Amino acid sequence: MAQAKTKAKAKVTALPTMLTSFDPAKGEVVGQVRANTPQEVGAAVRGAREAAPGWAALGPEGRARALADVRHRIFERMDDLIETISTENGKPAAGALNHDVLPGLLTLRYLERLAPSALRTRTVGRFVGPLLGMRSRIEWRPFGVVGCITPWNYPLFLSFMAITPALLAGNTVVLKPSEMTPGVGERIREVLEPLPPGVATVVQGGGEVGAALVDAPCDKICFIGSGATGRKIAEAAAKHLTPVVMELGGQDATIVCGDADLDLATSGVLFGAFLNAGQTCCAIERAYVVESVADEFERRLVEKLGRVRQGARGDSRADIGPMTVPRQLDVVQRHVRDAVEKGARVLAGGPDAEIRDDGGLWFAPTVLEGRTEDMDMFREETFGPVLPIVRVKDEEEAVRRANQEGANLTASVWSRDSRKARDIASRVASGTIVVNDHAATATMSWGLWGGVGDSGYGRLHGEVGLKEFAAPVHVAQNILPRMKRLWWYPYDEATTRSIRAVAEILSAPTWRQKGSAARTLAGSALHALKNKI
Ligand code: NAD
């Protein structure tokens, strides 16, 4: 017993851990950030709970005005944000601006404008029948405190993708960004400073800090990350019946039809596969190319890949940087080696490709032909600069395999025939499907963001995403308060006749039968109402 007490005390007074800010282009530690303790997470959630009523009372317009100040703070700190994202992610500065800062701003700006109308109370269903005199409204109320847990690959954008709709819907938030990019977490904390205290708090740390946030508990969780962590969070949240938005990984498919514009398709597939060194949840991990155009598709794609420049942060012409975290580089190396051993043909890059020897987490962008059931990359998300091409007989085979051989967070179709492309798109199982493009949908804040099957559930972006963070409440009001209700006691004969007449009006196939029931209702309802106790 005494030993248990000492252990508990040791846990409380343990020194906080330091998180490492790491530059993957050089393999160098560039800073340290103090992690929060689980106790501090509890305090942050309590602070958020205290701030919640005041924030909700501002209404969507007031909250949108407050978030505009956050946008202006991003404007002031833009260079610093780009520099920190680029340093910790390894992505070129242009990528940090294009794919992190800009979509974060688009999300804020679009949802700020949308929130007041999307969250407006609406009157619904004035249908009367026996419910004469009842009027219904649907109100969208905040949950309270939303815990947001985000990954490292787009550390700024994805944090704003989670917190923006939650805040606009009237919740306060506690954000736990990834421990792999703690410097960006600090920059996010700084740009959130214009908000009232407790409205948006950043807590830093690894899985245990995320777990403490889920277990605080919060009133809703928005999780963006891997399927493995998502499953742990779903279990922990179930203990408190906390609802969760699950934005998980994918093995996105693209279908290149026999009539595709190959110049467009090769450029778009190249970008969709290698964006952010392939460390993109919606990166193409399977390209199904119709046999008749496959030779030409591969030739052009490999030729274009040769013109893509892989380089470090300081290289202003770099398109692709190194990978961001060592454990992901390990996964990619394992997947490519395994695929080659099992018969995949290397068209570019590959396990033996020459790479820089400067301590950075470099992996040469790789194109493979062939992807079979026995390969690791078939069962697991690769999440790296690897594009497997699969030749198919026709579009039908492509659709079937796109649906069967992995989870699509998003998917795409390339064809010159828009009607045919839309028809194919309608048969692909995915949260988002795009025709003649790939990946851009992540930044379309007016659309939807969320997957199917193993890539998660719940939606971000747009009106549906805003409403993920608001609980619909039905407020019904008796606007004829002096009239008693037909279904109240007693259940006398006139009551039963009246209710039966309503049921007949609803179910009768002919107007003559409906009319007869309506006459019965008129004759009995007043009598029934007079007798109500
Ligand atoms: P991850 O699951 O390892 O970590 C994500 C976050 O969860 C981190 O902040 C981490 O600290 C936290 N975490 C870890 N264990 C936890 C626990 N037990 N309880 C609570 N929080 C915990 O994912 P990652 O490696 O950071 O990111 C890559 C993954 O994210 C890929 O699978 C990628 O596809 C996915 N992703 C999905 C989307 C999307 O929108 N669907 C976007 C980006 C990335």
Side-chain angles (χ1 to χ4, degrees), residues 393-407:
K393 184 166 62 61
D394 54 22
E395 286 85 358
E396 289 312 305
E397 182 185 348
V399 171
R400 182 174 52 74
R401 295 181 69 171
N403 289 343
Q404 286 175 354
E405 297 183 345

Side-chain angles (χ1 to χ4, degrees), residues 149-153 158 176-179 205-207 210-211 214 223-226 229 232-233 247-250 281 327 381 383 409 449:
I149 301 174
T150 53
W152 45 262
N153 58 333
L158 296 175
K176 196 211 78 68
S178 173
E179 69 276 29
V214 177
F223 173 69
I224 308 181
S226 67
T229 307
K232 285 187 205 161
I233 289 179
E247 298 289 351
L248 308 179
C281 48
R327 70 164 192 237
E381 183 187 27
F383 209 58
L409 174 59
W449 191 250

Side-chain angles (χ1 to χ4, degrees), residues 447-463:
L448 281 177
W449 191 250
V452 295
D454 282 349
S455 63
Y457 49 80
R459 294 291 180 265
L460 297 177
H461 277 343
E463 180 162 346

Side-chain angles (χ1 to χ4, degrees), residues 5 22 34 180 213 236 238 240 274 282 297 301 394 485-486 494 506 512:
K5 266 191 189 157
F22 179 76
R34 189 178 84 78
M180 303 293 169
L213 183 58
H240 304 287
F274 296 109
C282 61
F297 177 86
L301 186 102
D394 54 22
R485 306 278 115 197
L486 198 50
L506 289 174
R512 195 179 58 75

Side-chain angles (χ1 to χ4, degrees), residues 22-77:
F22 179 76
D23 175 353
K26 298 189 184 136
E28 276 174 9
V29 173
V30 290
Q32 284 197 316
V33 171
R34 189 178 84 78
N36 288 99
T37 63
Q39 288 79 0
E40 286 169 331
V41 174
V45 173
R46 284 193 295 282
R49 209 170 284 296
E50 275 166 31
W55 178 246
L58 288 181
E61 286 86 358
R63 297 192 291 265
R65 274 195 298 276
L67 280 174
D69 291 340
V70 172
R71 250 187 314 110
H72 302 153
R73 188 60 70 88
I74 293 176
F75 173 80
E76 288 163 18
R77 303 279 168 92

Side-chain angles (χ1 to χ4, degrees), residues 122-324:
R122 285 190 173 81
T123 301
V124 291
R126 286 156 195 255
F127 171 70
V128 280
L131 293 170
L132 180 68
M134 292 302 283
R135 175 154 306 167
S136 289
R137 291 178 305 145
I138 303 294
E139 290 179 10
W140 293 92
R141 295 190 190 165
F143 285 92
V145 180
V146 177
C148 299
I149 301 174
T150 53
W152 45 262
N153 58 333
Y154 295 90
L156 182 94
F157 169 38
L158 296 175
S159 294
F160 275 96
M161 197 171 176
I163 67 173
T164 306
L167 286 168
L168 283 166
N171 307 278
T172 52
V173 301
V174 177
L175 166 71
K176 196 211 78 68
S178 173
E179 69 276 29
M180 303 293 169
T181 48
V184 180
E186 290 305 292
R187 298 295 86 76
I188 295 174
R189 189 202 302 280
E190 288 159 16
V191 298
L192 291 173
E193 270 164 11
L195 296 176
V199 165
T201 309
V202 175
V203 291
Q204 294 262 30
E208 68 297 343
V209 172
L213 183 58
V214 177
D215 204 35
C218 297
D219 303 302
K220 180 134 190 174
I221 294 290
C222 178
F223 173 69
I224 308 181
S226 67
T229 307
R231 282 176 169 81
K232 285 187 205 161
I233 289 179
E235 270 184 41
K239 209 170 78 189
H240 304 287
L241 277 183
T242 310
V244 188
V245 179
M246 279 288 172
E247 298 289 351
L248 308 179
Q251 294 172 299
D252 285 10
T254 193
I255 296 174
V256 180
C257 300
D259 66 346
D261 174 335
L262 290 187
D263 181 39
L264 186 80
T266 45
S267 297
V269 170
L270 188 71
F271 179 77
F274 296 109
L275 167 65
N276 198 29
Q279 303 168 114
T280 302
C281 48
C282 61
I284 298 170
E285 297 218 349
R286 312 172 274 153
Y288 297 101
V289 182
V290 169
E291 186 71 57
S292 58
V293 294
D295 284 342
E296 184 60 10
F297 177 86
E298 287 174 358
R299 191 191 63 74
R300 290 195 196 195
L301 186 102
V302 170
E303 184 275 319
K304 286 182 183 179
L305 182 58
R307 287 191 264 151
V308 170
R309 189 172 164 119
Q310 191 174 30
R313 188 159 42 90
D315 178 351
S316 61
R317 285 186 42 235
D319 302 303
I320 301 181
M323 297 200 60
T324 304

